Amino acid sequence: MAEHEAIDVIADQVEKIACRKCGRHLDVSKLPMFSKVECPDCKTQQTVPARLGQFLLLEVLGAGGMGAVYQALDQSLGRYVAIKVMRRAMGEDPAFVENFMREARAAAALNHRNVVQIYSCGQEKGQPYIVMELVSGGRLDEMIAQGNPIEEVRALEIGIDVTEGLKAANDVGLIHGDVKPANILFDKNGIAKVADFGLARFVAWQQDRGEVWGTPYYIAPEKARGQKVDHRSDIYSLGATLYHALGAKPPFDGKTATDVVLARLKNPAIGLRVIRPSLQPETADVIARTLESDPFMRYPTYSSLLAD
């Protein structure tokens, strides 16, 4: 599978699987991992899994420059989880692995309804991994990708959920560092949860190697300048995310990542009510304050943001 090869995740081949519908045993030893196979009896299509230590990787949920996220079965505990497997090259850096494990353990201590729970972390076949709660209700970036603005009250509900999660993390000394639509997940009841605490700072690992990790639509100006960041940088990124959700376009855009950063540093974002006049003025005002270029002009605390 091209996507699997591109993300360079190494796992073991599975010899046989049982059809999830009729139970027939299928020989998949000669099929590529994560390819599709059809049961000859009931014609049900399923994905060829792969094995990584105690985890049976069932399907790819997403992939990026740092690795891939899989839906998996933790066979030792008999529960379904999400597992983020980092590229093997990252595991070859001892300092990275040490910091990765430390950050993951710190994030695992955070237990909040608006944060994706981290269960464990480890390293298999030289690849660092992190095991997380499986959240099955979709992601905000998938909603945004449809090209339509999100209904105002729903966007505010999402904003409150995410703010509550970020506040809980900040209360125990954690800063996210990469708040964006792809890191906002929904459970089956539509409750928003923040994912990837403890991973954001490792974006620098790729940047040090000249790799592109994504267009920085949501990065605070001080982070773009390489200056010190704190919880107000996360507040900015949340505001940029909600701007995109409400306005159906990010606050800044450009042909390249550099163009986006320069646009952010040169001018303020266009007012939300200019591109969506039907919004309540109070909603636009809240978003505008989160997007202030000067951190001291933003909300000073999550409690003050929640109050508004």
Side-chain angles (χ1 to χ4, degrees), residues 110-180:
L110 180 60
N111 191 351
H112 190 274
R113 72 189 289 267
N114 298 121
V115 175
V116 175
Q117 180 68 46
I118 292 177
Y119 295 143
S120 65
C121 59
Q123 193 170 5
E124 186 71 29
K125 297 185 181 298
Q127 301 159 123
Y129 68 80
I130 188 165
V131 185
M132 303 170 286
E133 166 190 9
L134 182 63
V135 183
S136 57
R139 304 192 310 251
L140 182 57
D141 63 323
E142 295 170 339
M143 295 174 61
I144 289 175
Q146 297 174 13
N148 300 314
I150 293 176
E151 193 271 325
E152 183 173 1
V153 171
R154 177 58 181 144
L156 291 172
E157 290 172 347
I158 294 168
I160 289 170
D161 281 347
V162 174
T163 303
E164 292 280 12
L166 293 173
K167 179 180 183 300
N170 190 61
D171 288 345
V172 296
L174 289 177
I175 296 170
H176 191 285
D178 193 22
V179 178
K180 59 185 179 183

Side-chain angles (χ1 to χ4, degrees), residues 3-193:
E3 182 183 46
H4 180 68
E5 294 167 359
I7 55 182
D8 194 29
V9 170
I10 301 168
D12 292 323
Q13 187 81 33
V14 172
E15 300 290 321
K16 292 183 178 181
I17 62 173
C19 174
R20 66 171 182 266
K21 184 174 181 181
C22 71
R24 170 169 174 163
H25 283 199
L26 308 175
D27 182 351
V28 295
S29 60
K30 304 257 188 319
L31 296 176
M33 293 180 286
F34 309 111
S35 61
K36 296 295 183 182
V37 60
E38 183 179 277
C39 175
D41 286 352
C42 67
K43 308 303 181 186
T44 300
Q45 274 208 345
Q46 44 222 307
T47 302
V48 176
R51 190 178 305 282
L52 187 73
Q54 70 193 50
F55 302 99
L56 194 63
L57 308 181
L58 302 175
E59 64 174 306
V60 181
L61 297 177
M66 297 176 75
V69 182
Y70 301 89
Q71 179 182 345
L73 174 64
D74 182 342
Q75 294 184 299
S76 67
L77 296 176
R79 69 177 173 186
Y80 291 97
V81 297
I83 178 169
K84 174 165 279 194
V85 185
M86 316 301 280
R87 292 168 52 190
R88 187 173 183 177
M90 302 177 86
E92 294 171 353
D93 183 341
F96 168 85
V97 174
E98 181 182 351
N99 289 330
F100 175 84
M101 298 299 179
R102 183 171 58 248
E103 291 292 327
R105 291 184 189 108
L110 180 60
N111 191 351
H112 190 274
R113 72 189 289 267
N114 298 121
V115 175
V116 175
Q117 180 68 46
I118 292 177
Y119 295 143
S120 65
C121 59
Q123 193 170 5
E124 186 71 29
K125 297 185 181 298
Q127 301 159 123
Y129 68 80
I130 188 165
V131 185
M132 303 170 286
E133 166 190 9
L134 182 63
V135 183
S136 57
R139 304 192 310 251
L140 182 57
D141 63 323
E142 295 170 339
M143 295 174 61
I144 289 175
Q146 297 174 13
N148 300 314
I150 293 176
E151 193 271 325
E152 183 173 1
V153 171
R154 177 58 181 144
L156 291 172
E157 290 172 347
I158 294 168
I160 289 170
D161 281 347
V162 174
T163 303
E164 292 280 12
L166 293 173
K167 179 180 183 300
N170 190 61
D171 288 345
V172 296
L174 289 177
I175 296 170
H176 191 285
D178 193 22
V179 178
K180 59 185 179 183
N183 282 336
I184 298 174
L185 281 58
F186 302 103
D187 69 10
K188 61 183 180 181
N189 297 315
I191 294 171
K193 294 173 176 278

Side-chain angles (χ1 to χ4, degrees), residues 215-230:
T215 305
Y217 290 128
Y218 315 101
I219 294 176
E222 62 272 18
K223 185 172 184 178
R225 294 188 180 103
Q227 298 169 346
K228 183 179 178 181
V229 300
D230 58 20

